[in-house]
Amino acid sequence: MAILEVENLYKSFGQTQVLKGINFSLEQGQALAIIGASGSGKTTLLRCLNFLERPDQGVIRINGKVLFDAGDPATQREVEIRKKRLNFGLVFQSFHLFPQYTVLKNVTLAGELLAKEQSGRKAAQREIEEQARGLLEQMGLSEKVDAYPHQLSGGQQQRVAIARALALRPNILCFDEPTSALDPELTGEVLRVIRSLAEKKTTMVIVTHEMAFARDVADHIIFMDDGVVVEEGCPQDLISNPKEERTRQFLSRFSNESTWKQN
């Protein structure tokens, strides 16, 4: 059974229709890459999955259970939506770390607040902190736990953001072009972390413009254009031999670029 199923998802902003009937599924332990030009609806799709936007139409299921149904108000109560967001962890383009907190506090804060809300008392700080330190070690940041975001490189900040997203143990980890705000020399270190997560069979949805990375790391790939899924399939097949003309046009711009180099 698929861990994630998205069925007939639509989303408009005013008169502008951004998503026009998106359908796909994702298996446990798979990494799904979503590619496409700017404005194709990729980020809006991620925001709908994380309930930062409410779809106008469609259904989202996790492990066969309906998480959201635009036709069923019972699935849209705010108190329930807050709980449902915990199924997803989202890593943004621009880090969104709290500048007034240390690296360790940035990673532990959400868990502390959640545990306090759920139990009505302060959570066991020791357990949350131990988990955070373990995640930061996994990200290669053990020596930065007491640093503040402004003391880190962009790549280090993004790795802190990944640790923060993992701290709540989401079913699915989502990345919204995680290297777009980085200098090229820092891109590799973040991609290596995501690659290691894929090797550990972390279930992920990755919006990316790194074509070689999508080809080599993802288990499945979707090409979006103008709010629809134009083509999907095995990354090697889709990128090397796309069937749709629009996919070929999009990929042609990368054919002679350094994007295709191994990261």
PDB file of all heavy atoms in Angstrom, residues 184-203:
ATOM      1  N   PRO A 184      27.036  27.693  -5.414  1.00  0.00           N
ATOM      2  CA  PRO A 184      27.318  26.380  -6.006  1.00  0.00           C
ATOM      3  C   PRO A 184      28.276  25.527  -5.183  1.00  0.00           C
ATOM      4  O   PRO A 184      28.108  24.308  -5.089  1.00  0.00           O
ATOM      5  CB  PRO A 184      27.927  26.741  -7.368  1.00  0.00           C
ATOM      6  CG  PRO A 184      27.306  28.056  -7.701  1.00  0.00           C
ATOM      7  CD  PRO A 184      27.181  28.778  -6.392  1.00  0.00           C
ATOM      8  N   GLU A 185      29.260  26.134  -4.534  1.00  0.00           N
ATOM      9  CA  GLU A 185      30.236  25.350  -3.773  1.00  0.00           C
ATOM     10  C   GLU A 185      29.645  24.729  -2.510  1.00  0.00           C
ATOM     11  O   GLU A 185      30.203  23.791  -1.945  1.00  0.00           O
ATOM     12  CB  GLU A 185      31.438  26.226  -3.400  1.00  0.00           C
ATOM     13  CG  GLU A 185      31.091  27.396  -2.500  1.00  0.00           C
ATOM     14  CD  GLU A 185      32.250  28.370  -2.353  1.00  0.00           C
ATOM     15  OE1 GLU A 185      32.869  28.722  -3.375  1.00  0.00           O
ATOM     16  OE2 GLU A 185      32.520  28.772  -1.225  1.00  0.00           O
ATOM     17  N   LEU A 186      28.496  25.259  -2.049  1.00  0.00           N
ATOM     18  CA  LEU A 186      27.849  24.726  -0.856  1.00  0.00           C
ATOM     19  C   LEU A 186      26.738  23.733  -1.194  1.00  0.00           C
ATOM     20  O   LEU A 186      26.238  23.033  -0.309  1.00  0.00           O
ATOM     21  CB  LEU A 186      27.261  25.860  -0.005  1.00  0.00           C
ATOM     22  CG  LEU A 186      28.257  26.884   0.527  1.00  0.00           C
ATOM     23  CD1 LEU A 186      27.523  27.985   1.278  1.00  0.00           C
ATOM     24  CD2 LEU A 186      29.293  26.227   1.426  1.00  0.00           C
ATOM     25  N   THR A 187      26.352  23.692  -2.468  1.00  0.00           N
ATOM     26  CA  THR A 187      25.254  22.821  -2.874  1.00  0.00           C
ATOM     27  C   THR A 187      25.561  21.355  -2.618  1.00  0.00           C
ATOM     28  O   THR A 187      24.720  20.596  -2.128  1.00  0.00           O
ATOM     29  CB  THR A 187      24.948  23.027  -4.371  1.00  0.00           C
ATOM     30  OG1 THR A 187      24.446  24.353  -4.558  1.00  0.00           O
ATOM     31  CG2 THR A 187      23.915  22.022  -4.870  1.00  0.00           C
ATOM     32  N   GLY A 188      26.783  20.941  -2.901  1.00  0.00           N
ATOM     33  CA  GLY A 188      27.160  19.539  -2.777  1.00  0.00           C
ATOM     34  C   GLY A 188      26.981  18.984  -1.391  1.00  0.00           C
ATOM     35  O   GLY A 188      26.536  17.846  -1.216  1.00  0.00           O
ATOM     36  N   GLU A 189      27.311  19.785  -0.358  1.00  0.00           N
ATOM     37  CA  GLU A 189      27.224  19.256   1.004  1.00  0.00           C
ATOM     38  C   GLU A 189      25.781  18.967   1.400  1.00  0.00           C
ATOM     39  O   GLU A 189      25.507  17.996   2.117  1.00  0.00           O
ATOM     40  CB  GLU A 189      27.877  20.219   2.002  1.00  0.00           C
ATOM     41  CG  GLU A 189      27.180  21.545   2.187  1.00  0.00           C
ATOM     42  CD  GLU A 189      27.951  22.489   3.094  1.00  0.00           C
ATOM     43  OE1 GLU A 189      29.090  22.853   2.738  1.00  0.00           O
ATOM     44  OE2 GLU A 189      27.404  22.858   4.145  1.00  0.00           O
ATOM     45  N   VAL A 190      24.835  19.789   0.940  1.00  0.00           N
ATOM     46  CA  VAL A 190      23.425  19.546   1.243  1.00  0.00           C
ATOM     47  C   VAL A 190      22.916  18.352   0.445  1.00  0.00           C
ATOM     48  O   VAL A 190      22.185  17.505   0.966  1.00  0.00           O
ATOM     49  CB  VAL A 190      22.585  20.803   0.955  1.00  0.00           C
ATOM     50  CG1 VAL A 190      21.090  20.507   1.098  1.00  0.00           C
ATOM     51  CG2 VAL A 190      22.989  21.936   1.893  1.00  0.00           C
ATOM     52  N   LEU A 191      23.297  18.257  -0.814  1.00  0.00           N
ATOM     53  CA  LEU A 191      22.866  17.121  -1.626  1.00  0.00           C
ATOM     54  C   LEU A 191      23.413  15.810  -1.082  1.00  0.00           C
ATOM     55  O   LEU A 191      22.739  14.774  -1.156  1.00  0.00           O
ATOM     56  CB  LEU A 191      23.303  17.316  -3.080  1.00  0.00           C
ATOM     57  CG  LEU A 191      22.646  18.481  -3.824  1.00  0.00           C
ATOM     58  CD1 LEU A 191      23.151  18.520  -5.270  1.00  0.00           C
ATOM     59  CD2 LEU A 191      21.135  18.390  -3.784  1.00  0.00           C
ATOM     60  N   ARG A 192      24.612  15.837  -0.526  1.00  0.00           N
ATOM     61  CA  ARG A 192      25.169  14.611   0.064  1.00  0.00           C
ATOM     62  C   ARG A 192      24.339  14.154   1.263  1.00  0.00           C
ATOM     63  O   ARG A 192      24.149  12.948   1.470  1.00  0.00           O
ATOM     64  CB  ARG A 192      26.634  14.826   0.466  1.00  0.00           C
ATOM     65  CG  ARG A 192      27.604  14.760  -0.709  1.00  0.00           C
ATOM     66  CD  ARG A 192      29.040  14.718  -0.250  1.00  0.00           C
ATOM     67  NE  ARG A 192      29.471  15.964   0.353  1.00  0.00           N
ATOM     68  CZ  ARG A 192      29.950  17.003  -0.320  1.00  0.00           C
ATOM     69  NH1 ARG A 192      30.053  16.938  -1.647  1.00  0.00           N
ATOM     70  NH2 ARG A 192      30.336  18.094   0.298  1.00  0.00           N
ATOM     71  N   VAL A 193      23.852  15.111   2.054  1.00  0.00           N
ATOM     72  CA  VAL A 193      23.000  14.760   3.195  1.00  0.00           C
ATOM     73  C   VAL A 193      21.698  14.125   2.702  1.00  0.00           C
ATOM     74  O   VAL A 193      21.255  13.095   3.234  1.00  0.00           O
ATOM     75  CB  VAL A 193      22.696  16.004   4.057  1.00  0.00           C
ATOM     76  CG1 VAL A 193      21.578  15.711   5.045  1.00  0.00           C
ATOM     77  CG2 VAL A 193      23.943  16.447   4.805  1.00  0.00           C
ATOM     78  N   ILE A 194      21.077  14.728   1.688  1.00  0.00           N
ATOM     79  CA  ILE A 194      19.821  14.182   1.166  1.00  0.00           C
ATOM     80  C   ILE A 194      20.063  12.815   0.541  1.00  0.00           C
ATOM     81  O   ILE A 194      19.254  11.889   0.683  1.00  0.00           O
ATOM     82  CB  ILE A 194      19.193  15.153   0.147  1.00  0.00           C
ATOM     83  CG1 ILE A 194      18.932  16.509   0.798  1.00  0.00           C
ATOM     84  CG2 ILE A 194      17.882  14.586  -0.410  1.00  0.00           C
ATOM     85  CD1 ILE A 194      18.449  17.579  -0.167  1.00  0.00           C
ATOM     86  N   ARG A 195      21.197  12.666  -0.121  1.00  0.00           N
ATOM     87  CA  ARG A 195      21.540  11.370  -0.706  1.00  0.00           C
ATOM     88  C   ARG A 195      21.656  10.300   0.392  1.00  0.00           C
ATOM     89  O   ARG A 195      21.178   9.172   0.240  1.00  0.00           O
ATOM     90  CB  ARG A 195      22.861  11.475  -1.482  1.00  0.00           C
ATOM     91  CG  ARG A 195      23.204  10.234  -2.296  1.00  0.00           C
ATOM     92  CD  ARG A 195      24.612  10.357  -2.866  1.00  0.00           C
ATOM     93  NE  ARG A 195      24.728  11.521  -3.726  1.00  0.00           N
ATOM     94  CZ  ARG A 195      24.437  11.531  -5.025  1.00  0.00           C
ATOM     95  NH1 ARG A 195      24.008  10.420  -5.608  1.00  0.00           N
ATOM     96  NH2 ARG A 195      24.585  12.634  -5.738  1.00  0.00           N
ATOM     97  N   SER A 196      22.271  10.665   1.512  1.00  0.00           N
ATOM     98  CA  SER A 196      22.419   9.697   2.612  1.00  0.00           C
ATOM     99  C   SER A 196      21.065   9.334   3.200  1.00  0.00           C
ATOM    100  O   SER A 196      20.844   8.185   3.597  1.00  0.00           O
ATOM    101  CB  SER A 196      23.335  10.270   3.703  1.00  0.00           C
ATOM    102  OG  SER A 196      22.705  11.322   4.421  1.00  0.00           O
ATOM    103  N   LEU A 197      20.135  10.288   3.251  1.00  0.00           N
ATOM    104  CA  LEU A 197      18.782   9.992   3.728  1.00  0.00           C
ATOM    105  C   LEU A 197      18.078   9.026   2.770  1.00  0.00           C
ATOM    106  O   LEU A 197      17.363   8.114   3.206  1.00  0.00           O
ATOM    107  CB  LEU A 197      17.975  11.280   3.861  1.00  0.00           C
ATOM    108  CG  LEU A 197      18.422  12.245   4.964  1.00  0.00           C
ATOM    109  CD1 LEU A 197      17.658  13.566   4.850  1.00  0.00           C
ATOM    110  CD2 LEU A 197      18.222  11.642   6.344  1.00  0.00           C
ATOM    111  N   ALA A 198      18.290   9.222   1.472  1.00  0.00           N
ATOM    112  CA  ALA A 198      17.695   8.320   0.490  1.00  0.00           C
ATOM    113  C   ALA A 198      18.255   6.905   0.642  1.00  0.00           C
ATOM    114  O   ALA A 198      17.529   5.922   0.530  1.00  0.00           O
ATOM    115  CB  ALA A 198      17.945   8.841  -0.923  1.00  0.00           C
ATOM    116  N   GLU A 199      19.548   6.807   0.921  1.00  0.00           N
ATOM    117  CA  GLU A 199      20.167   5.495   1.102  1.00  0.00           C
ATOM    118  C   GLU A 199      19.610   4.785   2.330  1.00  0.00           C
ATOM    119  O   GLU A 199      19.593   3.546   2.390  1.00  0.00           O
ATOM    120  CB  GLU A 199      21.685   5.662   1.213  1.00  0.00           C
ATOM    121  CG  GLU A 199      22.331   6.079  -0.105  1.00  0.00           C
ATOM    122  CD  GLU A 199      23.796   6.471   0.045  1.00  0.00           C
ATOM    123  OE1 GLU A 199      24.268   6.571   1.213  1.00  0.00           O
ATOM    124  OE2 GLU A 199      24.462   6.701  -0.974  1.00  0.00           O
ATOM    125  N   LYS A 200      19.144   5.566   3.309  1.00  0.00           N
ATOM    126  CA  LYS A 200      18.528   4.997   4.518  1.00  0.00           C
ATOM    127  C   LYS A 200      17.034   4.770   4.339  1.00  0.00           C
ATOM    128  O   LYS A 200      16.334   4.448   5.293  1.00  0.00           O
ATOM    129  CB  LYS A 200      18.776   5.919   5.703  1.00  0.00           C
ATOM    130  CG  LYS A 200      20.244   6.040   6.085  1.00  0.00           C
ATOM    131  CD  LYS A 200      20.450   7.078   7.175  1.00  0.00           C
ATOM    132  CE  LYS A 200      21.929   7.227   7.500  1.00  0.00           C
ATOM    133  NZ  LYS A 200      22.161   8.298   8.491  1.00  0.00           N
ATOM    134  N   LYS A 201      16.553   4.955   3.122  1.00  0.00           N
ATOM    135  CA  LYS A 201      15.148   4.725   2.773  1.00  0.00           C
ATOM    136  C   LYS A 201      14.205   5.667   3.516  1.00  0.00           C
ATOM    137  O   LYS A 201      13.111   5.277   3.921  1.00  0.00           O
ATOM    138  CB  LYS A 201      14.751   3.264   3.012  1.00  0.00           C
ATOM    139  CG  LYS A 201      15.514   2.267   2.140  1.00  0.00           C
ATOM    140  CD  LYS A 201      15.292   2.568   0.656  1.00  0.00           C
ATOM    141  CE  LYS A 201      16.043   1.609  -0.249  1.00  0.00           C
ATOM    142  NZ  LYS A 201      15.846   1.922  -1.702  1.00  0.00           N
ATOM    143  N   THR A 202      14.638   6.907   3.681  1.00  0.00           N
ATOM    144  CA  THR A 202      13.744   7.947   4.193  1.00  0.00           C
ATOM    145  C   THR A 202      12.752   8.305   3.094  1.00  0.00           C
ATOM    146  O   THR A 202      13.147   8.558   1.954  1.00  0.00           O
ATOM    147  CB  THR A 202      14.548   9.199   4.592  1.00  0.00           C
ATOM    148  OG1 THR A 202      15.543   8.824   5.545  1.00  0.00           O
ATOM    149  CG2 THR A 202      13.642  10.267   5.188  1.00  0.00           C
ATOM    150  N   THR A 203      11.472   8.317   3.409  1.00  0.00           N
ATOM    151  CA  THR A 203      10.454   8.649   2.412  1.00  0.00           C
ATOM    152  C   THR A 203      10.486  10.151   2.173  1.00  0.00           C
ATOM    153  O   THR A 203      10.320  10.940   3.111  1.00  0.00           O
ATOM    154  CB  THR A 203       9.056   8.217   2.894  1.00  0.00           C
ATOM    155  OG1 THR A 203       9.100   6.847   3.289  1.00  0.00           O
ATOM    156  CG2 THR A 203       8.026   8.389   1.789  1.00  0.00           C
TER     157      THR A 203
END
